[in-house]
mmCIF file of all heavy atoms in Angstrom:
data_model
loop_
_atom_site.group_PDB
_atom_site.id
_atom_site.type_symbol
_atom_site.label_atom_id
_atom_site.label_comp_id
_atom_site.label_asym_id
_atom_site.label_seq_id
_atom_site.Cartn_x
_atom_site.Cartn_y
_atom_site.Cartn_z
ATOM 1 N N VAL Y 770 -2.409 11.170 0.848
ATOM 2 C CA VAL Y 770 -1.850 12.356 0.151
ATOM 3 C C VAL Y 770 -0.398 12.248 -0.295
ATOM 4 O O VAL Y 770 -0.008 12.990 -1.229
ATOM 5 C CB VAL Y 770 -2.178 13.499 0.871
ATOM 6 C CG1 VAL Y 770 -3.685 13.676 1.264
ATOM 7 C CG2 VAL Y 770 -1.246 13.563 2.183
ATOM 8 N N GLY Y 771 0.289 11.345 0.371
ATOM 9 C CA GLY Y 771 1.777 11.289 -0.030
ATOM 10 C C GLY Y 771 2.519 12.351 0.816
ATOM 11 O O GLY Y 771 2.271 13.465 0.807
ATOM 12 N N LEU Y 772 3.533 11.803 1.582
ATOM 13 C CA LEU Y 772 4.332 12.834 2.360
ATOM 14 C C LEU Y 772 5.085 13.759 1.662
ATOM 15 O O LEU Y 772 5.287 15.005 2.019
ATOM 16 C CB LEU Y 772 5.324 11.942 3.311
ATOM 17 C CG LEU Y 772 4.611 10.994 4.276
ATOM 18 C CD1 LEU Y 772 5.765 10.461 5.197
ATOM 19 C CD2 LEU Y 772 3.576 11.569 5.113
ATOM 20 N N ASP Y 773 5.396 13.465 0.359
ATOM 21 C CA ASP Y 773 6.187 14.446 -0.510
ATOM 22 C C ASP Y 773 5.274 15.559 -0.897
ATOM 23 O O ASP Y 773 5.788 16.589 -1.471
ATOM 24 C CB ASP Y 773 6.774 13.722 -1.672
ATOM 25 C CG ASP Y 773 7.919 12.811 -1.340
ATOM 26 O OD1 ASP Y 773 8.506 13.000 -0.299
ATOM 27 O OD2 ASP Y 773 8.184 11.813 -2.073
ATOM 28 N N ASN Y 774 3.958 15.280 -0.779
ATOM 29 C CA ASN Y 774 3.006 16.507 -1.100
ATOM 30 C C ASN Y 774 2.782 17.433 0.101
ATOM 31 O O ASN Y 774 2.025 18.437 -0.217
ATOM 32 C CB ASN Y 774 1.700 15.894 -1.681
ATOM 33 C CG ASN Y 774 1.895 15.178 -2.929
ATOM 34 O OD1 ASN Y 774 2.612 15.662 -3.750
ATOM 35 N ND2 ASN Y 774 1.275 13.967 -3.050
ATOM 36 N N LEU Y 775 3.303 17.162 1.171
ATOM 37 C CA LEU Y 775 3.163 18.060 2.342
ATOM 38 C C LEU Y 775 3.994 19.250 2.216
ATOM 39 O O LEU Y 775 4.947 19.249 1.595
ATOM 40 C CB LEU Y 775 3.483 17.299 3.702
ATOM 41 C CG LEU Y 775 2.504 16.086 3.972
ATOM 42 C CD1 LEU Y 775 3.017 15.380 5.141
ATOM 43 C CD2 LEU Y 775 1.101 16.443 4.129
ATOM 44 N N PRO Y 776 3.635 20.352 3.054
ATOM 45 C CA PRO Y 776 4.655 21.469 3.138
ATOM 46 C C PRO Y 776 5.900 21.055 3.687
ATOM 47 O O PRO Y 776 6.011 20.038 4.413
ATOM 48 C CB PRO Y 776 3.920 22.454 4.130
ATOM 49 C CG PRO Y 776 2.440 22.009 4.031
ATOM 50 C CD PRO Y 776 2.398 20.552 3.662
ATOM 51 N N GLU Y 777 6.947 21.650 3.352
ATOM 52 C CA GLU Y 777 8.325 21.296 3.694
ATOM 53 C C GLU Y 777 8.494 21.010 5.076
ATOM 54 O O GLU Y 777 9.078 20.026 5.585
ATOM 55 C CB GLU Y 777 9.378 22.268 3.115
ATOM 56 C CG GLU Y 777 10.742 21.847 3.381
ATOM 57 C CD GLU Y 777 11.808 22.889 2.909
ATOM 58 O OE1 GLU Y 777 11.460 23.781 2.289
ATOM 59 O OE2 GLU Y 777 13.130 22.624 3.079
ATOM 60 N N ASP Y 778 8.019 21.925 5.966
ATOM 61 C CA ASP Y 778 8.224 21.727 7.522
ATOM 62 C C ASP Y 778 7.506 20.611 7.957
ATOM 63 O O ASP Y 778 8.068 19.774 8.852
ATOM 64 C CB ASP Y 778 7.781 23.091 8.137
ATOM 65 C CG ASP Y 778 6.303 23.415 7.915
ATOM 66 O OD1 ASP Y 778 5.752 22.956 6.905
ATOM 67 O OD2 ASP Y 778 5.803 24.071 8.730
ATOM 68 N N LEU Y 779 6.354 20.220 7.449
ATOM 69 C CA LEU Y 779 5.603 19.068 7.985
ATOM 70 C C LEU Y 779 6.220 17.841 7.354
ATOM 71 O O LEU Y 779 6.208 16.722 7.952
ATOM 72 C CB LEU Y 779 4.145 19.195 7.546
ATOM 73 C CG LEU Y 779 3.415 20.382 8.229
ATOM 74 C CD1 LEU Y 779 1.861 20.291 7.839
ATOM 75 C CD2 LEU Y 779 3.512 20.356 9.629
ATOM 76 N N ARG Y 780 6.721 17.838 6.085
ATOM 77 C CA ARG Y 780 7.285 16.765 5.452
ATOM 78 C C ARG Y 780 8.534 16.329 6.294
ATOM 79 O O ARG Y 780 8.686 15.111 6.519
ATOM 80 C CB ARG Y 780 7.708 16.959 4.005
ATOM 81 C CG ARG Y 780 8.358 15.900 3.240
ATOM 82 C CD ARG Y 780 8.497 16.128 1.766
ATOM 83 N NE ARG Y 780 9.332 17.245 1.558
ATOM 84 C CZ ARG Y 780 9.063 18.442 1.071
ATOM 85 N NH1 ARG Y 780 7.840 18.766 0.790
ATOM 86 N NH2 ARG Y 780 9.970 19.452 0.919
ATOM 87 N N GLU Y 781 9.404 17.294 6.655
ATOM 88 C CA GLU Y 781 10.563 16.897 7.537
ATOM 89 C C GLU Y 781 10.063 16.299 8.781
ATOM 90 O O GLU Y 781 10.884 15.268 9.196
ATOM 91 C CB GLU Y 781 11.411 18.295 7.616
ATOM 92 C CG GLU Y 781 12.035 18.795 6.529
ATOM 93 C CD GLU Y 781 12.769 20.065 6.820
ATOM 94 O OE1 GLU Y 781 12.531 20.596 7.964
ATOM 95 O OE2 GLU Y 781 13.656 20.507 5.937
ATOM 96 N N MET Y 782 9.200 16.806 9.451
ATOM 97 C CA MET Y 782 8.827 16.202 10.667
ATOM 98 C C MET Y 782 8.187 14.828 10.479
ATOM 99 O O MET Y 782 8.472 13.938 11.264
ATOM 100 C CB MET Y 782 7.766 17.115 11.377
ATOM 101 C CG MET Y 782 7.206 16.654 12.624
ATOM 102 S SD MET Y 782 8.514 16.326 13.918
ATOM 103 C CE MET Y 782 8.811 18.005 14.426
ATOM 104 N N ALA Y 783 7.356 14.674 9.493
ATOM 105 C CA ALA Y 783 6.683 13.351 9.298
ATOM 106 C C ALA Y 783 7.832 12.206 9.043
ATOM 107 O O ALA Y 783 7.711 11.224 9.642
ATOM 108 C CB ALA Y 783 5.789 13.515 8.023
ATOM 109 N N TYR Y 784 8.714 12.491 8.164
ATOM 110 C CA TYR Y 784 9.779 11.512 7.940
ATOM 111 C C TYR Y 784 10.607 11.218 9.167
ATOM 112 O O TYR Y 784 11.082 10.126 9.486
ATOM 113 C CB TYR Y 784 10.647 11.958 6.714
ATOM 114 C CG TYR Y 784 10.087 11.743 5.446
ATOM 115 C CD1 TYR Y 784 9.909 12.800 4.552
ATOM 116 C CD2 TYR Y 784 9.789 10.383 4.992
ATOM 117 C CE1 TYR Y 784 9.267 12.493 3.277
ATOM 118 C CE2 TYR Y 784 9.310 10.156 3.779
ATOM 119 C CZ TYR Y 784 9.078 11.250 2.836
ATOM 120 O OH TYR Y 784 8.500 10.977 1.655
ATOM 121 N N LEU Y 785 10.901 12.345 10.039
ATOM 122 C CA LEU Y 785 11.734 12.156 11.097
ATOM 123 C C LEU Y 785 11.071 11.326 12.186
ATOM 124 O O LEU Y 785 11.664 10.384 12.807
ATOM 125 C CB LEU Y 785 12.063 13.560 11.679
ATOM 126 C CG LEU Y 785 12.985 13.733 12.920
ATOM 127 C CD1 LEU Y 785 14.401 12.966 12.612
ATOM 128 C CD2 LEU Y 785 13.129 15.091 13.490
ATOM 129 N N ARG Y 786 9.753 11.534 12.396
ATOM 130 C CA ARG Y 786 9.048 10.806 13.351
ATOM 131 C C ARG Y 786 8.818 9.277 12.950
ATOM 132 O O ARG Y 786 9.057 8.386 13.735
ATOM 133 C CB ARG Y 786 7.612 11.412 13.616
ATOM 134 C CG ARG Y 786 6.628 10.445 14.375
ATOM 135 C CD ARG Y 786 7.233 10.054 15.741
ATOM 136 N NE ARG Y 786 7.072 10.881 16.770
ATOM 137 C CZ ARG Y 786 7.749 10.977 17.916
ATOM 138 N NH1 ARG Y 786 8.737 10.153 17.929
ATOM 139 N NH2 ARG Y 786 7.508 11.752 18.884
ATOM 140 N N LEU Y 787 8.637 9.106 11.595
ATOM 141 C CA LEU Y 787 8.569 7.621 11.172
ATOM 142 C C LEU Y 787 9.954 6.950 11.414
ATOM 143 O O LEU Y 787 9.944 5.769 11.699
ATOM 144 C CB LEU Y 787 8.223 7.572 9.577
ATOM 145 C CG LEU Y 787 6.806 8.028 9.314
ATOM 146 C CD1 LEU Y 787 6.574 7.950 7.817
ATOM 147 C CD2 LEU Y 787 5.870 6.995 9.966
ATOM 148 N N GLU Y 788 10.989 7.628 11.182
ATOM 149 C CA GLU Y 788 12.350 6.925 11.323
ATOM 150 C C GLU Y 788 12.802 6.936 12.780
ATOM 151 O O GLU Y 788 13.664 6.144 13.045
ATOM 152 C CB GLU Y 788 13.345 7.727 10.533
ATOM 153 C CG GLU Y 788 13.146 7.736 9.071
ATOM 154 C CD GLU Y 788 13.894 8.689 8.271
ATOM 155 O OE1 GLU Y 788 14.736 9.540 8.900
ATOM 156 O OE2 GLU Y 788 13.785 8.829 7.013
#
Side-chain angles (χ1 to χ4, degrees):
V770 301
L772 298 186
D773 291 336
N774 294 321
L775 297 176
E777 183 178 358
D778 58 337
L779 297 186
R780 180 171 66 249
E781 290 179 346
M782 177 60 73
Y784 279 119
L785 184 61
R786 171 50 89 197
L787 288 179
E788 294 168 1

